[in-house]
């Protein structure tokens, strides 16, 4: 069967994907360092080193059936070359493959001047300050193009390429050396938005059609798609179905058996605010999971052309009968995807049952103690330094009145302590269940002061004021992350004379 027989129907596509997954030919592939890996699929990862790229890379490194031959950093992607390569080496060390060669590609698009927002790039350059193991492997003095070309030329069997960023490197390479496509088994591309809107979020004027990776270098994308190499596109159409949910995050919290899984959890923790509000997806991890075993997805044949002209459709991946033939991932079993990711990152078999996430009695007891201190010391005594110890930086409290972050909450507590004297607080931690703690609180004080703003910006009444509230606190790794509070507002308002007493 021709590798490039893309006119085949859907069932054939799925059949081919299954065939590729279960019947990989056994081979003997010599690595650049001379180690021989039998029966493994050779893979090149071309990444732009964003947060979800890290997850995808660790996943691919953990797959026992893959042999990662090289990792190339996209110079036009989210991380810059130098920090991107260094971070990639640390990540390879974490993944147990410190010797995988790393190189970077050109730093400007082949055409145009599209770039990622600089603050995204800076965040990825610093890798969110997460600790990673050292890697003393010297960087080969070689461009990404030369590294990819040498892996392709030396591999006795066709190589799978997984691209997780803009296509600048591969576009440049395949234009210069079109014969290399004979050494490529498949290029799995995270990119494009076929029948759904793009994801530029207003960063590129009126453009609501393009996905970031393709938008950065549309010409390079067209060169790859039109190269004749077999391509499977993993566009927003399918990645939109795998948001990184809060539920997934919480499951991950209790299922971290390996340093790799723990790192991924901590990286996600840095972006909890983002996970909470939605809008973060498993773009690259889904692409990695499909690249390792395409049977998880429905892949349909399609012909696509990338719009290269500047304007509101620049970088759009448009269906066009005259476009390049390729496979497009359109559907995935989201549950199986999540389980696969957790299992492989945790070093388990792909289809192992997920472990029950049980929280120990000790941890629940510890959580109760933290909540007790939070209310007696932070609320009861306005100890702001203790607040910094006990609460996560992205702490948020939701109430029947509003949502406050840590600084705002401390401001409110400060106001209470300015207005009330002789404060007493009774804290009754009534239950701990899993990672949540339920508490009933009564705070009393004499209304003898005035705060510059808020409800206490009134003449002191001298009355005794009583606040009652019920709180559910959610803790992650011994830190307060989120609280839900209902409090009695009417009582205090009557006591300071805002409302008439009944
Ligand atoms: O468009 C998805 C690609 C993926 O390769 N990237 C992120 C993934 O690594 C760009 C991107 C889209 N939306 C983003 C992105 C966001 N809100 N923050 C950072 N990167
Ligand atoms: Ca990426």
């Amino acid at each position: 069967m021709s590798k490039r027989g893309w006119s085949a129907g859907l069932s054939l596509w799925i059949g081919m994907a299954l065939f590729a997954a279960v019947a990989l030919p056994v081979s003997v592939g010599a690595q650049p360092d001379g180690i021989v890996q039998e029966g493994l699929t050779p893979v090149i990862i071309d990444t732009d080193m964003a947060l979800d790229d890290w997850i995808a890379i660790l996943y691919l490194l953990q797959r026992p059936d893959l042999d990662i031959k090289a990792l190339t950093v996209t110079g036009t992607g989210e991380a810059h070359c130098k920090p991107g390569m260094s971070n990639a080496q640390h990540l390879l060390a974490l993944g147990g493959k410190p010797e995988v060669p790393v190189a970077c590609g050109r730093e400007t698009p082949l055409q145009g001047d599209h770039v990622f927002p600089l603050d995204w790039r800076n965040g990825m350059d610093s890798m969110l300050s997460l600790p990673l193991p050292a890697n003393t492997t010297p960087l080969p003095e070689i461009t990404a193009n030369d590294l990819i070309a040498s892996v392709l030329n030396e591999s006795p069997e066709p190589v799978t390429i997984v691209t997780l960023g803009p296509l600048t490197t591969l576009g440049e390479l395949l234009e210069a050396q079109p014969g290399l496509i004979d050494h490529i088994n498949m290029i799995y591309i995270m990119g494009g938005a076929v029948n759904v809107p793009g994801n530029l979020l207003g960063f590129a004027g009126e453009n609501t059609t393009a996905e970031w990776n393709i938008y950065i270098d549309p010409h390079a994308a067209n060169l790859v798609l039109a190269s004749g190499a077999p391509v499977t596109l993993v566009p927003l159409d399918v990645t939109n179905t795998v948001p990184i949910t809060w539920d997934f995050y919480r499951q991950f919290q209790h299922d971290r058996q390996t340093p790799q899984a723990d790192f991924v959890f901590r990286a996600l923790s840095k972006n909890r605010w983002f996970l909470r509000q939605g809008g973060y997806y498993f773009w690259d991890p889904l692409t990695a999971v499909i690249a390792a075993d395409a049977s998880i997805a429905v892949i349909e044949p399609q012909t696509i052309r990338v719009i290269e002209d500047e304007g509101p459709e620049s970088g759009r991946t448009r269906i066009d009968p005259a476009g390049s033939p390729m496979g497009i991932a359109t559907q995935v079993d989201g549950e199986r995807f999540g389980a696969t990711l957790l299992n492989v990152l945790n070093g388990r078999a792909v289809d192992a049952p997920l472990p029950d996430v049980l929280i120990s009695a000790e941890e629940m007891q510890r959580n109760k103690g933290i909540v007790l201190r939070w209310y007696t010391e932070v609320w009861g005594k306005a100890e702001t330094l203790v607040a910094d110890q006990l609460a996560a930086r992205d702490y948020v409290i939701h109430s029947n009145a509003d949502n406050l972050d840590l600084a705002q909450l401390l401001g409110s507590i400060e106001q209470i302590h300015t207005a009330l004297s002789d404060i007493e607080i009774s804290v009754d931690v009534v239950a701990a269940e899993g990672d949540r703690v339920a508490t009933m609180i009564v705070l009393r004080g004499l209304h003898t002061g005035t705060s510059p703003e808020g409800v206490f910006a009134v003449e002191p009444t001298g009355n005794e004021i009583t606040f009652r509230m019920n709180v559910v606190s959610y803790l992650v790794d011994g830190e307060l992350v989120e609280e839900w509070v209902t409090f009695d507002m009417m009582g205090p308002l009557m006591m300071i004379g805002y409302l008439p007493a009944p």
Side-chain angles (χ1 to χ4, degrees):
M1 189 195 321
S2 159
K3 277 199 302 193
R4 290 186 274 287
W6 300 131
S7 56
L10 173 60
S11 57
L12 182 53
W13 257 98
I14 295 176
M16 282 169 59
L18 281 168
F19 178 81
V22 300
L24 283 164
V26 173
S27 72
V28 180
Q31 283 193 328
D33 56 10
I35 297 168
V36 174
Q37 303 266 1
E38 284 190 39
L40 306 185
T41 304
V43 173
I44 296 171
I45 306 173
D46 185 46
T47 167
D48 69 341
M49 291 300 288
L51 194 163
D52 68 316
D53 296 64
W54 311 338
I55 306 173
I57 292 165
L58 288 172
Y59 174 85
L60 292 170
L61 290 169
Q62 292 266 91
R63 287 281 311 205
D65 51 348
L66 305 182
D67 181 10
I68 310 303
K69 293 288 188 188
L71 188 152
T72 51
V73 176
T74 328
T76 55
E78 292 209 25
H80 294 86
C81 270
K82 206 160 177 261
M85 285 193 291
S86 163
N87 292 336
Q89 284 201 300
H90 293 303
L91 207 56
L92 289 164
L94 178 66
K97 308 272 173 64
E99 74 292 346
V100 171
V102 173
C104 199
R106 60 176 270 163
E107 302 190 70
T108 52
L110 299 183
Q111 286 180 16
D113 56 2
H114 297 168
V115 287
F116 277 106
L118 194 61
D119 59 334
W120 294 9
R121 300 197 73 180
N122 290 336
M124 295 305 110
D125 284 349
S126 71
M127 231 172 172
L128 306 171
S129 311
L130 292 159
L132 276 167
N135 185 348
T136 52
T137 310
L139 278 175
E141 300 214 350
I142 186 175
T143 64
N145 280 6
D146 288 345
L147 178 57
I148 295 173
S150 79
V151 170
L152 292 179
N153 282 321
E154 283 165 27
S155 178
E157 63 168 292
V159 176
T160 296
I161 301 180
V162 185
T163 75
L164 308 174
L167 289 159
T168 308
T169 303
L170 218 49
E172 187 181 39
L173 179 64
L174 294 180
E175 184 180 42
Q177 301 184 51
L180 286 176
I181 65 168
D182 293 334
H183 301 270
I184 299 175
N185 170 50
M186 180 66 75
I187 309 177
Y188 290 93
I189 297 174
M190 192 286 125
V194 180
N195 289 309
V196 297
N199 67 354
L200 302 177
L201 306 167
F203 281 96
E206 305 286 275
N207 190 328
T208 56
T209 57
E211 178 279 334
W212 270 109
N213 288 345
I214 306 296
Y215 169 79
I216 291 291
D217 199 343
H219 180 60
N222 256 338
L223 287 173
V224 174
L225 298 186
S227 67
V231 166
T232 299
L233 200 66
V234 182
L236 298 184
D237 304 59
V238 67
T239 60
N240 283 347
T241 68
V242 288
I244 308 185
T245 61
W246 196 245
D247 277 353
F248 184 89
Y249 173 75
R250 303 215 21 218
Q251 184 157 3
F252 220 147
Q253 182 194 346
H254 304 293
D255 187 10
R256 291 175 273 160
Q257 327 291 340
T258 61
Q260 292 92 324
D262 186 56
F263 173 84
V264 171
F265 173 75
R266 291 203 280 154
L268 292 178
S269 296
K270 294 269 183 182
N271 269 357
R272 269 194 301 242
W273 60 274
F274 202 170
L275 302 189
R276 268 200 205 99
Q277 95 190 7
Y280 212 93
Y281 298 90
F282 281 120
W283 296 286
D284 296 346
L286 177 61
T287 307
V289 167
I290 291 175
D293 179 0
S295 74
I296 197 167
V298 174
I299 296 170
E300 301 181 35
Q302 193 52 274
T303 49
I304 297 281
R305 183 173 60 87
V306 178
I307 296 181
E308 296 186 23
D309 298 337
E310 276 309 322
E313 299 205 336
S314 187
R316 176 172 181 185
T317 43
R318 191 183 190 131
I319 296 175
D320 179 343
S324 311
M326 68 193 69
I328 301 213
T330 55
Q331 289 174 53
V332 69
D333 179 338
E335 204 144 307
R336 198 176 132 204
F337 163 73
T340 300
L341 191 60
L342 277 170
N343 277 335
V344 172
L345 286 174
N346 278 303
R348 299 187 296 260
V350 172
D351 52 1
L354 289 180
D356 287 332
V357 291
L358 290 176
I359 298 171
S360 68
E362 290 77 27
E363 184 169 353
M364 288 192 256
Q365 205 53 38
R366 184 171 67 126
N367 286 348
K368 280 182 168 183
I370 290 166
V371 171
L372 182 65
R373 275 192 75 194
W374 176 251
Y375 282 98
T376 47
E377 296 175 33
V378 178
W379 280 74
K381 300 186 186 135
E383 305 245 20
T384 50
L385 291 178
V386 176
D388 289 337
Q389 280 170 32
L390 300 183
R393 285 203 304 177
D394 62 341
Y395 168 91
V396 60
I397 180 164
H398 314 280
S399 79
N400 42 327
D402 44 26
N403 301 318
L404 305 180
D405 65 21
L406 184 57
Q408 291 168 323
L409 173 68
L410 293 177
S412 296
I413 292 174
E414 180 69 35
Q415 283 180 20
I416 294 174
H417 280 258
T418 311
L420 305 186
S421 56
D422 298 326
I423 287 182
E424 275 173 34
I425 189 159
S426 89
V427 184
D428 191 5
V429 180
V430 287
E433 173 94 38
D435 42 26
R436 290 183 194 221
V437 175
T439 312
M440 291 168 65
I441 292 132
V442 182
L443 184 147
R444 280 199 184 80
L446 285 179
H447 185 204
T448 53
T450 300
S451 78
E453 52 188 281
V455 272
F456 293 115
V458 292
E459 280 297 297
T461 57
N463 292 342
E464 184 180 272
I465 311 279
T466 306
F467 275 115
R468 290 172 191 282
M469 48 188 200
N470 299 332
V471 191
V472 175
S473 309
Y474 163 47
L475 293 95
V476 177
D477 281 348
E479 277 189 331
L480 278 159
V481 162
E482 194 159 19
E483 295 191 292
W484 294 262
V485 54
T486 49
F487 59 86
D488 164 33
M489 194 72 192
M490 305 286 265
L493 287 179
M494 285 174 203
M495 294 172 225
I496 59 173
Y498 261 121
L499 292 175

